[in-house]
Amino acid sequence: MTASDNPILTIENLTVDFLSEGDPVRAVDNVSFNVCPGETLVILGESGSGKSVSTGTVMGLIDCPPGDIVAGSLIFDGTDLSRLDENARRMLNGRRIAMIFQDPLAHLNPVYTVGRQIAEVFEAHGNGDVGSVRDTVVKLLERVGIPDAAKRVDYYPHQFSGGQRQRVMIAMAIALKPEILIADEPTTALDVSVQSQILELLSDLQRETGMALIMITHDLEVAAAMADRIIVMNGGKVVESGKAQDVFTNPVHAYTRRLMSAAPFGGACPERPRTKVRGEALLQVQHLSKHYVLGAGPFSPKKEFRAVDDVSFTVHQGETVGIVGESGSGKSSIARMLLRLDQPTTGQAFFAGEDILTLEGRALNSFRRRVQMVFQDPFGSMNPRMNVYSIISEPWVIHRDILPRPRWDDRVVELLELVGLKAEHAHRHPHQFSGGQRQRVAIARALASEPDLIVCDEAVSALDVSIQMQIIGLLADLRDRLGLSYIFITHDLPIVREFADRILVMQQGKVVEESDTEMLFNSPKHAYTKSLLDSVPRPKWHGNSLTRHL
């Protein structure tokens, strides 16, 4: 269905403050936009720009206090949403306006099956009881691509992959065929192939139902592939708006131009000049494997799952080796074994000539100083009771020979500024930061021990595109100045092309292709590598359908 010219939602002069110990913080400042049936409106901007707050007001998700809608109107189909009472809002949300959240695991109840949670949508709006809607729920799960839906309707959220949990959230959101669907960073943590499936699903649903789609994202490729119109937000204000092609190809505002300069369409990142350093072999991995035994029970035979299957590679001093592949391909399992967080089933790994897998005591402690890891989930890898100063300085407590105590204060500030944070952030706790800011703290902590090798496990996946480029530039600069080496695990192909010297492509625990970066992107040999590269989103205005883009 094509987009209508009559807006179904109009937001005018919206201003939202959040109360604080001092003066109120203005999160959204005089924002106006609209969306029409069948149209895709993408809201772009960095963390803290007001994207999620603007759409959160539409769903009534701004708690008062601390949030306060100071001014503005939100007109949905002739009704001002800001004037609705709680009961009227409850009947509207889910039925006519629905939302897909960024982190599905945090928004799905872990103690209820996914089928029970989707059925609850029908119950809440008087569309039947649990028993009568089961068949409908199964059909919804089938519609969003959940395999064996009749069986898996009784599974719990933790029994699904990240991409499948996002599909469950979509099934819940579209259950009552809403007129507006708000998608808040729906593909941020997904592999490129899964991302393409989710985007195609959203486009199919939009064509079938004519719903308006408001998508919040910091991914410029996703925005270009999906948007009819774009609004760009910065500092709580709309700084630019217009047709997607116009905003991308002829941006007017300085902030938009800076944002668009980081757009790597089709994987064509601007090449970063560098002096390639290929020193002696720093890390040698030989025939590394990790097997798990599944299904052992009185009535079920043992099954062996090979998470990592006979993997070998070498990392040289000053070199960056990228590892790409879908979820479950074994990328993170390799990292955890090299950091001695998991024990391999077979294989060897030598770091600076020493067998990592046999180190103990002081030798193991010394190794852990020289090899650091930046985890995918920074919040889960930090002690919530420690402030940032304590988190960054902790390596100096453990390894007392790194830095004398009088230098700690200055060095913490240096590291924070190095990763784009401020000195005053040192005394905050992890929960006081956005996801992207927490990842910067994690990178600062990794740098604190002055390592030789840093393993980055999706280290920039949660960051805005402009911040991604800043962090990649930072890591590259440190590599070139200090001779650092990296193992860079990611699902973001343009980013790995920008940063890696060599790339390993993994599928089902095996390395299916290994090549220098440009050779792999220009002449991929394995069919799986080709399918990954074909999944990178491309601008919608190229004239092809989204299906062929992705």
Side-chain angles (χ1 to χ4, degrees), residues 39-249:
E39 181 184 35
T40 299
L41 174 70
V42 170
I43 305 178
L44 273 177
E46 298 177 346
S47 296
S49 63
K51 307 186 303 293
S52 295
V53 174
S54 297
T55 53
T57 58
V58 176
M59 295 293 294
L61 299 179
I62 306 302
D63 292 331
C64 183
D68 181 23
I69 300 177
V70 176
S73 60
L74 304 96
I75 309 300
F76 169 72
D77 196 21
T79 301
D80 191 341
L81 299 177
S82 63
R83 299 182 182 276
L84 294 180
D85 61 28
E86 187 174 341
N87 288 333
R89 169 72 73 175
R90 184 179 294 116
M91 292 307 297
L92 188 71
N93 287 355
R95 178 187 289 276
R96 302 189 66 188
I97 306 175
M99 190 167 188
I100 305 167
F101 295 94
Q102 180 175 356
D103 182 3
L105 191 58
H107 291 89
L108 292 171
N109 193 322
V111 302
Y112 290 119
T113 66
V114 298
R116 175 67 183 84
Q117 295 181 65
I118 297 173
E120 192 174 18
V121 176
F122 294 93
E123 290 179 74
H125 292 280
N127 288 58
D129 56 40
V130 178
S132 65
V133 300
R134 181 182 174 89
D135 290 343
T136 303
V137 171
V138 171
K139 290 178 181 178
L140 278 169
L141 290 175
E142 290 173 345
R143 178 66 192 85
V144 298
I146 298 295
D148 199 11
K151 178 181 178 181
R152 302 190 77 186
V153 69
D154 295 317
Y155 281 20
Y156 292 85
H158 72 274
Q159 295 175 288
F160 293 85
S161 69
Q164 289 174 331
R165 286 194 290 265
Q166 194 63 282
R167 290 168 185 264
V168 171
M169 286 284 291
I170 293 173
M172 192 179 301
I174 66 170
L176 298 178
K177 299 182 179 179
E179 293 155 72
I180 297 177
L181 180 62
I182 301 171
D184 189 355
E185 300 281 10
T187 62
T188 295
L190 302 182
D191 305 317
V192 64
S193 56
V194 179
Q195 171 185 269
S196 71
Q197 296 166 18
I198 295 297
L199 296 180
E200 182 63 27
L201 172 61
L202 291 174
S203 294
D204 285 346
L205 293 169
Q206 189 177 30
R207 284 191 290 267
E208 291 173 12
T209 65
M211 69 182 180
L213 177 62
I214 301 176
M215 178 174 284
I216 301 167
T217 185
H218 65 255
D219 190 320
L220 297 180
E221 290 182 303
V222 169
M226 295 292 289
D228 297 309
R229 284 191 303 117
I230 286 177
I231 67 170
V232 181
M233 295 190 66
N234 183 35
K237 298 176 179 288
V238 174
V239 298
E240 189 159 348
S241 64
K243 292 182 179 179
Q245 183 173 0
D246 295 340
V247 173
F248 271 95
T249 60

Side-chain angles (χ1 to χ4, degrees), residues 226-486:
M226 295 292 289
D228 297 309
R229 284 191 303 117
I230 286 177
I231 67 170
V232 181
M233 295 190 66
N234 183 35
K237 298 176 179 288
V238 174
V239 298
E240 189 159 348
S241 64
K243 292 182 179 179
Q245 183 173 0
D246 295 340
V247 173
F248 271 95
T249 60
N250 190 29
V252 176
H253 195 276
Y255 173 77
T256 311
R257 290 197 297 270
R258 179 168 64 84
L259 201 62
M260 297 307 164
S261 67
F265 293 130
C269 287
E271 187 173 344
R272 182 182 301 281
R274 64 163 293 212
T275 303
K276 291 189 177 181
V277 179
R278 189 180 175 91
E280 297 180 356
L282 181 66
L283 174 70
Q284 294 175 295
V285 178
Q286 300 175 356
H287 309 293
L288 196 66
S289 297
K290 180 65 175 178
H291 302 167
Y292 295 94
V293 177
L294 306 175
F299 303 106
S300 57
K302 292 182 179 180
K303 294 181 181 179
E304 186 178 67
F305 171 65
R306 300 191 174 191
V308 178
D309 191 3
D310 194 26
V311 168
S312 299
F313 63 93
T314 300
V315 180
H316 294 83
Q317 290 179 345
E319 183 182 36
T320 299
V321 174
I323 305 180
V324 301
E326 297 177 333
S327 294
S329 61
K331 308 186 301 295
S332 295
S333 295
I334 289 176
R336 292 183 63 83
M337 286 188 284
L338 294 180
L339 270 293
R340 289 288 299 271
L341 301 177
D342 286 340
Q343 189 68 23
T345 304
T346 59
Q348 293 178 301
F350 296 92
F351 179 81
E354 293 185 296
D355 190 347
I356 296 171
L357 307 179
T358 61
L359 294 178
E360 295 180 355
R362 289 186 177 179
L364 179 58
N365 199 40
S366 176
F367 163 76
R368 284 180 166 155
R369 171 190 167 176
R370 299 181 65 187
V371 180
Q372 288 290 302
M373 186 165 181
V374 180
F375 292 91
Q376 182 174 358
D377 178 12
F379 194 63
S381 63
M382 296 180 190
N383 188 331
R385 301 178 68 179
M386 294 171 65
N387 64 19
V388 167
Y389 183 96
S390 299
I391 289 170
I392 293 177
S393 62
E394 189 176 24
W396 307 329
V397 176
I398 299 170
H399 307 286
R400 297 181 180 275
D401 58 334
I402 296 178
L403 195 70
R405 181 64 182 83
R407 281 270 295 127
W408 286 14
D409 292 0
D410 291 340
R411 184 57 176 160
V412 167
V413 173
E414 289 174 8
L415 289 169
L416 286 174
E417 292 178 345
L418 199 62
V419 298
L421 296 175
K422 299 177 181 179
E424 58 261 32
H425 290 149
H427 301 291
R428 296 184 186 178
H429 289 76
H431 73 273
Q432 295 176 286
F433 293 91
S434 69
Q437 289 173 321
R438 285 196 292 264
Q439 195 64 287
R440 297 194 207 187
V441 173
I443 293 171
R445 177 179 60 183
L447 293 172
S449 68
E450 301 176 0
D452 298 308
L453 173 67
I454 297 179
V455 181
C456 299
D457 188 359
E458 300 285 6
V460 297
S461 63
L463 304 181
D464 306 314
V465 63
S466 57
I467 306 303
Q468 283 182 345
M469 291 301 153
Q470 292 173 23
I471 295 297
I472 290 299
L474 166 66
L475 295 176
D477 181 58
L478 292 169
R479 174 188 60 192
D480 297 342
R481 285 194 293 114
L482 305 177
L484 281 175
S485 301
Y486 297 96

